[in-house]
Amino acid sequence: MGSGRHGAARPPIGVLIQQDRVDFSLFASIIVVALAVMVLIGVGLSAAAFWLAVLPVFAAAALMVRRISRLSRDELRDEELL
């Protein structure tokens, strides 16, 4: 087993989001624009455009999760140095 701390509490997600408000607001705007395109296009007329608009939603969600985990790891690493 590693020598890391077991049961180390991660900071709340809200705190992590406040650290990088610009990044998370950009991710949220990508999702909102993609959802708006999906609503305006509809499934019936152009199914290809609808499904292409789904891709940014998943990409932005994945980037949000990765950014939160990176910020969390950095926060834990900073606490260990103290």
Side-chain angles (χ1 to χ4, degrees), residues 4-61:
R5 293 181 354 196
H6 297 288
R10 289 187 165 197
I13 291 177
V15 172
L16 297 175
I17 289 175
Q18 286 181 358
Q19 288 179 357
D20 273 345
R21 288 184 198 153
V22 174
D23 287 347
F24 287 104
S25 63
L26 289 173
F27 294 147
S29 66
I30 290 170
I31 291 173
V32 167
V33 168
L35 290 175
V37 167
M38 290 169 61
V39 167
L40 292 175
I41 289 176
V43 179
L45 279 175
S46 177
F50 177 85
W51 292 110
L52 284 175
V54 173
L55 295 177
V57 172
F58 290 123

